Amino acid sequence: ASPAFKRALSTSRPALFAAAHSSIPRTKLFINGEFIDSKTDKWIELRNPATPEELKYAADSAAEAFKTWKKTSILHRQRKMLDLQLLIRDNMDRIAHSITLEQGKTLADARGDVLRGLQVVESACAIPHMIMGDTLEVATDMDTYTIREPLGVVGGITPFNFPAMIPLWMFPLANVTGNTCVLKPSEKDPGATMILAELAKKAGIPAGVLNIVHGAKDTVNFICDNEHIKAISFVGSDQAGQYIHERGSRNGKRVQANLGAKNHGIIMPDANKNHTLNQLTGAAFGAAGQRCMALSTVVFVGKAKEWLPELVERAQKLKVSSGFEADADLGPLISPESLQRVERLIESGVKEGADLVLDGRGLKVQKYEKGNFIGPSILTNVKTDMECYREEIFGPVLVCLNADTLDEAIDIINKNPYGNGTAIFTQSGATARKFANEVDAGQVGINVPIPVPLPMFSFTGSRGSIRGDVNFYGKSGINFYTSTKTVTALWRHEDADANVSAVNMPTMK
Ligand code: NAD
């Protein structure tokens, strides 16, 4: 994305189209081990959608590659992951730079994006241990054992907000378990995925084992319908996820889909104030609130609400600027449309009676006057029927509610349709334990605001934040990308039953 191309983006669609047809670099496809220029005449901003022929070429290449890839040894595939993780580490800054350029988050945050994905690749290096089956000697002449087999070609569809981490939740585990993959990154920021494809090629992942295609709904429909594709991993919004889960499932595919969120943090009056306010500020406004695990909603219990002025003070101090500026705490939103939507939701809160105690709208950032910036914003006295509470805002906006008791606060969370993550801040072990037991969310933080599990566990969002029931990465991720075959074998030295035909259901002796 050269400066000239960025300027073209901010001017007009015809200029954009002209730009796409000039000598400015274009995002390529990665199919069958080659980086290919698409022949398409339809362009999504600077993104490169695939033509129907190219999509078919990707799926066919993946199906062909599966025939040999599935036969490689587990140690061979482990070695590829060891090589890939090293290359990702060596290229961390380059990938982070691409993320900041296209997505806007700060460089430090972009490095975190890469690191959390890298950890999944590192854990994939333990595949021989993770993929072991069960075995039982049923009798002296009989064994039953299980084998975890790859599914075939699997599809991946990713969102804009973690351009490295989320593709890395998908293709490394898919490939290391013996599958081949057709991955469609977000059309808003495909750059990081393209670098990862280059590194996968360098690591010796063979042609056709990983394929990257671009585009939006048409490409998604292709993935949902293609006969070779046996399973789909999706991460993104409710609307797209519900659609993909429904369409993919209807076509007999296994679908895991992580959707939107509205994560609540409960602040107890006995919490460590300094720790709580620091954590809350980072978790609500970091990455401009564009994290599915952002702590976007806070419930102050009792006197904890008295800390609000100090929270406002800390939020005000955050520096909003281009992600490339060394002192930036948060960058811009992904698009002008997103900015308008976030501003509208803030306004709806005001109209419905909430108090806007910090208003980040209309922020102009020096040197970047045309950026999609909005500063940290805080709405208080919010009620659960307000639109700003019901909708996932996905911007640097903290919505605050009050409760008199822990029970009341838990009840608010459990009545919210989403179940991605939640957190409590308290110094009481008994309070924390009650919260962990009674709260109905998939990922619980205790004095930890964004409890995204490390890759030896799984990402366990629940209720409205997930469709399908097999989670991403960890043991669950291995289960998603494999099916279990159970073998029951009888081996006898002397055939005692040589002349007896077994016509009944076998019974245990
Ligand atoms: P999005 O749904 O707009 O896009 C995600 C993917 O779906 C993209 O590849 C896009 O091309 C495709 N897509 C978009 N609209 C579609 C449609 N109508 N039909 C078919 N495909 C479509 O999501 P986004 O804006 O890129 O990402 C932000 C959302 O993702 C937020 O809701 C956030 O909470 C969610 N998210 C969830 C998790 C999680 O693990 N729960 C993680 C990250 C992001």
Side-chain angles (χ1 to χ4, degrees):
S2 67
F5 199 87
K6 286 269 165 190
R7 272 197 299 284
L9 282 181
S10 66
T11 49
S12 66
R13 291 236 152 232
L16 183 64
F17 188 77
H21 287 261
S22 76
S23 58
I24 287 157
R26 302 172 194 176
T27 305
K28 294 176 194 279
L29 303 156
F30 180 65
I31 305 179
N32 205 25
E34 299 298 331
F35 291 90
I36 301 172
D37 284 308
S38 174
K39 295 189 177 57
T40 187
D41 60 358
K42 294 195 195 95
W43 295 83
I44 306 169
E45 299 194 345
L46 83 160
R47 324 304 173 205
N48 188 346
T51 65
E53 294 74 34
E54 288 158 346
L55 295 175
K56 188 173 174 322
Y57 178 36
D60 289 350
S61 300
E64 191 57 32
F66 179 63
K67 293 178 189 162
T68 46
W69 182 245
K70 70 174 175 189
K71 291 186 186 153
T72 54
S73 76
I74 198 76
L75 297 177
H76 177 83
R77 299 199 298 264
Q78 177 191 37
R79 170 67 50 201
K80 297 295 158 210
M81 289 301 127
L82 284 161
D83 292 347
L84 179 61
Q85 61 82 25
L86 188 61
L87 285 163
I88 294 173
R89 263 166 49 201
D90 288 348
N91 285 271
M92 177 95 93
D93 283 347
R94 188 176 152 223
I95 304 170
H97 188 275
S98 161
I99 294 174
T100 300
L101 182 71
E102 294 184 350
Q103 201 270 359
K105 64 175 75 171
T106 65
L107 262 179
D109 204 30
R111 281 192 200 101
D113 187 331
V114 185
L115 179 74
R116 291 308 294 260
L118 170 63
Q119 289 168 340
V120 178
V121 187
E122 288 169 344
S123 82
C125 296
I127 191 65
H129 297 273
M130 292 162 84
I131 206 168
M132 275 185 191
D134 298 320
T135 177
L136 178 69
E137 189 185 71
V138 179
T140 52
D141 56 3
M142 181 177 279
D143 298 310
T144 298
Y145 59 93
T146 60
I147 307 169
R148 301 216 66 103
E149 295 187 329
L151 305 177
V153 183
V154 300
I157 301 164
T158 63
F160 80 83
N161 65 330
F162 282 99
M165 179 182 82
I166 293 178
L168 288 170
W169 285 3
M170 299 179 184
F171 81 82
L173 284 183
N175 287 160
V176 82
T177 47
N179 300 279
T180 57
C181 191
V182 176
L183 182 69
K184 188 204 88 64
S186 169
E187 64 278 20
K188 293 173 183 153
D189 47 17
T193 301
M194 296 315 290
I195 299 174
L196 292 170
E198 182 196 311
L199 301 180
K201 185 172 177 167
K202 223 179 202 169
I205 291 179
V209 171
L210 171 65
N211 304 275
I212 315 291
V213 295
H214 301 289
K217 196 162 178 176
D218 288 349
T219 308
V220 166
N221 286 345
F222 174 85
I223 291 174
C224 291
D225 297 345
N226 181 266
E227 56 173 345
H228 294 306
I229 295 177
K230 305 295 179 213
I232 303 172
S233 299
F234 169 85
V235 178
S237 65
D238 294 355
Q239 194 199 6
Q242 285 162 11
Y243 170 79
I244 290 165
H245 183 260
E246 203 274 322
R247 188 164 176 152
S249 302
R250 190 160 18 97
N251 286 328
K253 301 182 198 310
R254 207 178 260 200
V255 185
Q256 57 176 182
N258 275 7
L259 316 182
K262 194 85 180 170
N263 309 306
H264 296 57
I266 294 185
I267 316 298
M268 298 301 292
D270 71 346
N272 177 317
K273 185 162 116 183
N274 198 36
H275 172 80
T276 303
L277 293 180
N278 282 339
Q279 297 297 313
L280 190 54
T281 309
F285 306 117
Q290 297 175 116
R291 291 179 180 141
C292 69
M293 286 289 281
L295 208 60
S296 57
T297 309
V298 63
V299 187
F300 290 107
V301 175
K303 280 179 174 258
K305 62 175 173 285
E306 292 170 9
W307 301 349
L308 186 67
E310 280 183 63
L311 180 67
V312 173
E313 219 174 276
R314 281 171 210 233
Q316 263 168 336
K317 283 192 189 140
L318 295 176
K319 167 108 190 223
V320 185
S321 189
S322 155
F324 287 116
E325 297 292 341
D327 58 349
D329 293 305
L330 48 140
L333 293 180
I334 186 72
S335 64
E337 295 75 29
S338 174
L339 178 62
Q340 272 170 19
R341 182 178 169 277
V342 170
E343 289 181 341
R344 187 188 65 71
L345 283 165
I346 293 175
E347 192 55 35
S348 80
V350 174
K351 282 199 181 127
E352 290 183 277
D355 296 323
L356 185 59
V357 291
L358 183 62
D359 186 0
R361 292 173 299 175
L363 182 74
K364 287 279 169 256
V365 175
Q366 250 189 352
K367 290 203 290 179
Y368 307 99
E369 284 76 9
K370 287 189 177 168
N372 313 315
F373 292 105
I374 176 165
S377 303
I378 301 180
L379 284 159
T380 63
N381 296 319
V382 169
K383 301 283 178 285
T384 54
D385 58 353
M386 294 180 183
E387 194 186 1
C388 66
Y389 175 80
R390 287 182 284 112
E391 289 284 314
E392 179 183 36
I393 300 180
F394 228 55
V397 182
L398 182 64
V399 160
C400 304
L401 294 85
N402 300 316
D404 291 330
T405 62
L406 175 63
D407 284 318
E408 198 189 319
I410 293 175
D411 194 49
I412 292 172
I413 299 178
N414 290 350
K415 284 194 173 129
N416 189 284
Y418 289 112
N420 212 35
T422 185
I424 190 165
F425 290 87
T426 178
Q427 294 197 72
S428 156
T431 300
R433 196 158 177 84
K434 174 182 163 73
F435 174 73
N437 284 335
E438 294 182 13
V439 77
D440 195 359
Q443 304 175 103
V444 179
I446 295 169
N447 298 317
V448 172
I450 304 191
V452 175
L454 287 168
M456 55 297 277
F457 295 91
S458 298
F459 190 99
T460 50
S462 71
R463 294 198 287 140
S465 296
I466 181 174
R467 287 283 184 283
D469 53 7
V470 189
N471 296 127
F472 281 85
Y473 62 80
K475 282 186 200 142
S476 210
I478 303 292
N479 288 347
F480 182 76
Y481 289 124
T482 56
S483 60
T484 305
K485 184 180 272 174
T486 310
V487 180
T488 302
L490 177 75
W491 292 106
R492 274 182 192 159
H493 251 298
E494 289 164 35
D495 194 348
D497 300 334
N499 299 316
V500 183
S501 302
V503 290
N504 299 324
M505 276 296 279
T507 51
M508 296 302 141
K509 287 187 185 151

